Amino acid sequence: MTINTNDGILFKTDILSEMGVNLHRGSKMKKESRRRKPRIDIFKVLICLILLVMIGFGTKVFMDQQKLSQPVANVGGEVSSTATASAKPNTTSAATTETPTYQPEEGNITINKTEAKIAPSKNVELKVNGTTQQVAWTSSDETVAKVSKDGVVNGVAKGKATITAKVGDKTVSCTVTVQKVKQLALTFDDGPGKYTPEVLDALEKYHAHATFFVVGQNINNTTKAYMQRAVELGCQYGNHSYTHPNFTKLSKTQIKEELDKCDAKVKEAIGVVPTIMRQPGGAVTNSIKQFIDKGQILWSKDTEDWKYRDTERLVKYVLEHAEDGDIILMHDIHPTTTAGVERIVKGLTEQGFELLTIDELSEAKNEPIRLHHLIGCF
Ligand code: NI
């Protein structure tokens, strides 16, 4: 029998069952095949492992290429004959497109999308079918999206615009939503300090947000004002302990005291207690992870700014390595770091990144911050 998994790979179930494999989800399959007594020969085990790798690989490639709109899994059951969705959007560079549903009441003009979502500097082609007449394309807001004489829409900035095609006395319109599809979080540890305002200036200039993991003992009347300004700019605060000790060398009581004291200082400064934290130095054990009742935020890109103290290196590193969903680690206590932040924010913005706080990134990526998990990226 043929089984069709949700990654679009066909398997002959009789071959798999002959090899002693129950078809469950990938990770379980590995465990089950490992648990089995070696009543099957090594050659079959190898074939089986190759198939397992193919499942994993197939899933990744497939999911990367397109969002699977209709999962057709019946894995674990005997047979599923449902077909996988394979429709491709009819544009090559649109970030996301919606199924065309527009039906003109009359005439021969069709915009085959009711709405197109595109990223700035990416194109979406709106086709007009069944006519050889000259079509005049217009955009309601060229600062958001421009349209060429051939109906190719180019996103300029975040927002919505109406694109209209006109032939003779007939017009049809469609809405284009331009969005920034790449998002990441800049995070600054160990402050607040005297160089923090330089970071805030850069964020303010480009309407960007960041998250500051602060050390409680650095919060004083001067730095409190920086924190209040950061909150006004839309930034978020996280707890980075009171004295920056290595948590793995502390008792649970001491860890709690470190976190509580920092919480109190942050609350005193900005009126709210942080819901997220980062362990000093990122030092954490499983038992500490279970003990802390805040979102535990690590990072996906370590700039090592504290080690190199080199502005040029820092800027280059971030602009060359930033990826969608990243949490980037920096320290606003080093002037060599804060001196590069404006170029980083500007460069990332130009690359199409939206710079968000941790909470905003979690929401944008629809990945809630779960307690007792270490979060490195979204
Ligand atoms: Ni630190």
Side-chain angles (χ1 to χ4, degrees), residues 189-190 213-215 238-248 250 255 258-259 276-299 329 331 372-375:
D189 286 13
D190 300 357
F213 289 93
V214 286
V215 174
N239 186 320
H240 196 45
S241 81
Y242 190 76
T243 63
H244 206 274
N246 181 342
F247 278 13
T248 65
L250 299 189
I255 291 174
E258 281 283 334
L259 292 174
I276 56 171
M277 63 82 62
R278 175 177 284 160
Q279 289 86 357
V284 59
T285 62
N286 196 43
S287 128
I288 293 172
K289 184 180 82 180
Q290 295 305 331
F291 175 69
I292 294 175
D293 285 325
K294 288 182 186 293
Q296 299 175 56
I297 312 297
L298 295 176
W299 55 82
L329 169 64
H331 299 80
H372 313 299
H373 282 77
L374 300 176
I375 295 164

